[in-house]
Amino acid sequence: MVMLEDLEQGSLIRNLVHDQVVEIIQARQKGSSAVEITYKDAQGFVHQQIVLDFPSNALELVERSNNWSFDADADRFILTSEAYRIHLAHLFDPYVAVHTSLIEPLPHQITAVYQEMLTRQPLRYVLADDPGAGKTIMTGLLLKELMIRGDVKRCLIVTPGNLVEQWQDELLQKFNIKFTILTNEAFDAAASGNVFTEVDLALARLDKLSRNDDIQNKLKVTDWDLIVVDEAHKMSATVWGGDVKRTKRYDLGRLLSTITRNYLLLTATPHNGKEQDFQLFMSLIDADRFEGGHKRKSNGEVSDLLRRLVKEELLKFDGKPLFPERLATTVNYDLSIGEKELYSAVTEYVRTEFNRASNLSNKSRNTVGFALTVLQRRLASSPEAIYQSLKRRKEKLQGKLSELKTNRIPDGYELDEEDLYDLDDAPESELEEKEEELVNEVSAARTIEELDAEIQSLAVLEGMAQHLRAKGTDRKWDQLSKLLQDDQAMHDPAGTREKLIIFTEHRDTLRYLTDKVRSLLGRPEAVVNIYGGMAREKRREIEQLFRQDKDTTILIATDAAGEGINLQRAHLMINYDLPWN
């Protein structure tokens, strides 16, 4: 405790002004319980203040020490010097982000960040390397380097919905940068009403931003140090008949360009073969340079704004190709008589319903067409998938028929072209749920009689599928079985079974194949699954099991396995279903 008589000329006092140490120049007694002091603060400014007896108890008398005596608080000195060292780290270690991240970067990743992007300030750039080049890694390196240098505090990453969790995981695990996913709950719970002003490191779904005017109005009043858009080619505009057709995604891209200092677009397909469309895309990066470029001949020079390396140009540090040669083989097979009959019958049903849908509105026609296309894809996947799909559809339509009160069926679900785009970008679990909903409930029938006739057709098809399923006839599975048993590539030179991934588009087929392969191998523990709707933690657990457990040799997965999971443990892969993109 400091007594009033201790406040004399030359004394050093702490806590008179916040946490500063001040020097008393003059002290005058004001009665028995107060002193008027004149003091000099840490910045050298002179002030006056009256100190009363009671408050003076909070003051602390500091002993005067010689210069360079190093008798200050050692912990504070260490913290201050360490903070200053980190602040200047990029001057001494030009690759500080590399050395403070859990990654082993490749040559093309280092050159992209440190030679191409960091040298451009402000950054307006398209990174267009081939798939598999590690654009997420390059973005993480750039972001961390800019954060260390104090150049980025607020960053927004916009990505298709099926990739937001992958981005969040990669940035946290590899770079220790925690991003917040802007969910519906986050938008609703924002204390200020605008979540964009409350979150400095944010991940948002592309179509969540492009399709919602209210969200865009909130976005317009914010500013960012860096905005990154993944799969940026989806923000496209096209020239048709001399006119520009702009999508909502393209308009979002223009908006994002105006609210950020650094703008990075990631895409493996920047050019769709149409130069006019490419000029429109590049105007997202530099509106002045490319504005109206679709109307005039371009010189084609964009090397200062875009880098594209194809897989053949990606090398390791020893100069060897990064990617080994890809050997792809198509396995052909002939349908059995029963399979041909079912295929023809379902195809005729789909054709009939398509023709009926041609009389509907555009949205209704799109919706019915989408549902029927999904049904046709399941027919090509497996007898189990088409049987279960036909059965569920028949039961749902029977329920609708029993509830029908009028002579006309309500339109119900309707999809326009942008809705279909949204589904294409949706997380696999969300896409699977929506497909199931549409396949089961959408119909081109508009009267009770038409709906009843469709149900009768479905009952016949279901019976055919059930008969085929009961017989166990499946030529496609027969070919997979032969590959698993007889193909030499399935085993290493020592005879040990190699790791293998089998992809299918449908959950019914996944369950069907899992049972079949486990029976074939005689070891249930050898086969694991990943599918849409599986919790992220569970997916990571399955991934680790597949990668590290020598007894777990086959992973059967839907497209969910491609969302944020590293499966490079296996060099053998079978696409059980043809892609219908």
Side-chain angles (χ1 to χ4, degrees):
M1 184 177 71
V2 176
M3 307 300 292
L4 289 182
E5 52 266 29
D6 295 327
L7 302 178
E8 57 185 14
Q9 182 179 355
S11 297
L12 299 179
I13 303 296
R14 187 190 303 279
N15 294 331
L16 184 66
V17 181
H18 304 299
D19 194 33
Q20 291 187 31
V21 175
V22 302
E23 181 180 358
I24 296 179
I25 300 174
Q26 188 179 52
R28 294 179 181 176
Q29 194 76 28
K30 295 289 184 179
S32 60
S33 60
V35 174
E36 181 185 56
I37 62 172
T38 304
Y39 65 90
K40 182 167 63 175
D41 64 19
Q43 285 74 40
F45 296 105
V46 176
H47 308 272
Q48 278 189 334
Q49 183 173 330
I50 293 179
V51 178
L52 301 177
D53 186 29
F54 180 73
S56 68
N57 290 331
L59 302 181
E60 178 184 342
L61 188 65
V62 178
E63 292 186 13
R64 186 179 295 275
S65 59
N66 296 326
N67 290 335
W68 308 106
S69 60
F70 287 94
D71 57 358
D73 188 320
D75 290 335
R76 291 191 177 192
F77 175 77
I78 292 173
L79 285 174
T80 303
S81 60
E82 182 67 6
Y84 195 61
R85 184 191 70 80
I86 293 173
H87 177 67
L88 299 178
H90 67 278
L91 298 176
F92 299 92
D93 182 358
Y95 302 102
V96 63
V98 174
H99 299 144
T100 56
S101 304
L102 296 177
I103 60 171
E104 295 181 7
L106 294 160
H108 69 275
Q109 295 169 344
I110 293 174
T111 57
V113 175
Y114 292 93
Q115 293 182 18
E116 300 293 342
M117 294 192 288
L118 279 176
T119 57
R120 291 174 167 83
Q121 292 296 324
L123 176 69
R124 318 288 288 190
Y125 204 67
V126 179
L127 188 58
D129 292 351
D130 258 0
K135 289 186 279 294
T136 307
I137 298 297
M138 291 183 260
T139 302
L141 276 176
L142 172 70
L143 174 60
K144 190 162 189 177
E145 196 72 54
L146 290 174
M147 291 176 72
I148 290 172
R149 300 181 185 196
D151 198 36
V152 164
K153 178 184 178 184
R154 286 173 48 78
C155 175
L156 173 65
I157 298 178
V158 181
T159 175
N162 58 340
L163 299 176
V164 288
E165 291 182 352
Q166 174 183 348
W167 272 92
Q168 187 184 49
D169 288 345
E170 294 267 325
L171 292 171
L172 181 60
Q173 294 170 8
K174 293 181 169 59
F175 301 98
N176 197 31
I177 304 175
K178 185 177 181 180
F179 271 74
T180 299
I181 297 177
L182 301 185
T183 60
N184 291 333
E185 292 75 16
F187 283 105
D188 294 338
S192 66
N194 188 348
V195 70
F196 294 114
T197 63
E198 299 177 9
V199 179
D200 286 337
L201 300 175
L203 269 163
R205 287 179 58 171
L206 174 63
D207 286 315
K208 181 70 177 176
L209 302 187
S210 67
R211 302 293 302 279
N212 192 309
D213 292 337
D214 181 55
I215 289 178
Q216 287 191 31
N217 289 332
K218 294 176 180 178
L219 191 59
K220 287 176 184 177
V221 298
T222 62
D223 61 271
W224 302 83
D225 301 315
L226 171 65
I227 291 181
V228 181
V229 181
D230 194 14
E231 302 290 332
H233 57 273
K234 295 180 180 295
M235 300 190 305
S236 61
T238 58
V239 178
W240 187 263
D243 296 325
V244 176
K245 183 180 179 182
R246 294 160 55 148
T247 62
K248 290 184 178 180
R249 293 175 181 173
Y250 183 80
D251 289 336
L252 172 66
R254 296 292 291 262
L255 168 61
L256 295 175
S257 180
T258 64
I259 60 174
T260 183
R261 181 161 44 89
N262 299 297
Y263 196 31
L264 175 61
L265 304 184
L266 309 176
T267 174
T269 53
H271 205 302
N272 64 2
K274 299 178 182 178
E275 182 61 25
Q276 291 177 314
D277 293 359
F278 179 66
Q279 294 288 314
L280 288 168
F281 176 70
M282 292 303 296
S283 71
L284 296 176
I285 289 294
D286 191 333
D288 294 334
R289 176 170 163 184
F290 294 95
E291 189 68 36
H294 63 282
K295 297 180 181 179
R296 62 178 185 270
K297 187 175 181 180
S298 169
N299 61 14
E301 180 55 44
V302 293
S303 59
D304 58 324
L305 298 176
L306 180 147
R307 188 189 88 161
R308 174 160 177 77
L309 295 180
V310 296
K311 285 188 174 181
E312 290 74 18
E313 298 175 281
L314 304 181
L315 306 174
K316 300 177 184 177
F317 281 103
D318 59 6
K320 294 180 180 179
L322 175 61
F323 293 100
E325 183 182 4
R326 176 176 175 268
L327 302 176
T329 304
T330 300
V331 178
N332 299 310
Y333 60 94
D334 295 321
L335 295 177
S336 65
I337 294 175
E339 287 174 311
K340 285 181 181 179
E341 291 175 349
L342 177 62
Y343 192 91
S344 298
V346 173
T347 301
E348 181 59 32
Y349 163 76
V350 170
R351 185 180 295 114
T352 300
E353 295 304 310
F354 261 122
N355 291 337
R356 184 182 294 172
S358 64
N359 298 319
L360 305 179
S361 66
N362 285 339
K363 285 188 175 182
S364 295
R365 186 165 58 247
N366 282 339
T367 308
V368 173
F370 179 81
L372 293 173
T373 300
V374 172
L375 199 65
Q376 188 83 338
R377 283 162 52 187
R378 294 183 180 182
L379 171 65
S381 180
S382 68
E384 181 69 15
I386 190 59
Y387 166 72
Q388 296 293 349
S389 298
L390 291 169
K391 179 182 177 183
R392 288 191 294 263
R393 180 172 174 82
K394 186 198 73 174
E395 291 173 350
K396 283 286 187 180
L397 293 186
Q398 283 176 331
K400 179 178 287 188
L401 181 63
S402 66
E403 296 173 359
L404 201 57
K405 303 293 185 181
T406 67
N407 289 331
R408 183 169 179 80
I409 299 174
D411 287 340
Y413 301 99
E414 288 192 338
L415 302 176
D416 57 23
E417 290 185 5
E418 294 203 4
D419 290 325
L420 295 176
Y421 280 130
D422 288 356
L423 285 176
D424 186 47
D425 290 336
E428 201 267 347
S429 57
E430 184 178 317
L431 174 61
E432 190 176 79
E433 180 181 339
K434 180 57 70 174
E435 281 186 353
E436 194 64 35
E437 200 172 31
L438 294 172
V439 168
N440 291 343
E441 300 188 29
V442 171
S443 171
R446 284 298 175 265
T447 65
I448 292 177
E449 291 76 14
E450 288 180 354
L451 183 58
D452 186 57
E454 182 176 357
I455 292 171
Q456 297 304 316
S457 298
L458 286 169
V460 172
L461 295 174
E462 180 192 355
M464 294 177 65
Q466 169 62 7
H467 178 70
L468 194 67
R469 179 171 173 258
K471 288 178 61 178
T473 304
D474 186 354
R475 292 289 176 82
K476 190 176 182 182
W477 159 252
D478 292 342
Q479 288 297 323
L480 177 59
S481 176
K482 289 178 182 177
L483 284 175
L484 295 176
Q485 295 179 81
D486 304 333
D487 197 296
Q488 293 182 351
M490 296 294 163
H491 299 82
D492 64 18
T496 303
R497 184 172 288 278
E498 294 272 18
K499 299 279 187 177
L500 168 69
I501 305 171
I502 302 174
F503 280 110
T504 177
E505 290 193 353
H506 310 293
R507 186 87 65 88
D508 291 323
T509 301
L510 178 138
R511 287 190 286 259
Y512 170 74
L513 288 179
T514 300
D515 292 339
K516 287 278 193 182
V517 176
R518 283 174 174 169
S519 297
L520 179 69
L521 300 183
R523 291 188 302 113
E525 73 279 1
V527 183
V528 291
N529 298 145
I530 295 177
Y531 51 84
M534 180 180 282
R536 292 164 72 182
E537 294 75 15
K538 182 65 176 177
R539 280 197 276 172
R540 292 194 195 100
E541 180 184 324
I542 296 297
E543 175 198 358
Q544 292 301 318
L545 185 65
F546 177 67
R547 295 178 65 185
Q548 298 177 5
D549 186 352
K550 62 182 179 60
D551 294 325
T552 304
T553 54
I554 295 180
L555 169 67
I556 304 177
T558 61
D559 289 343
E563 297 175 9
I565 295 181
N566 185 349
L567 297 173
Q568 296 178 11
R569 174 66 178 83
H571 69 271
L572 297 175
M573 184 181 75
I574 294 175
N575 279 319
Y576 197 72
D577 298 326
L578 288 172
W580 285 58
N581 56 20

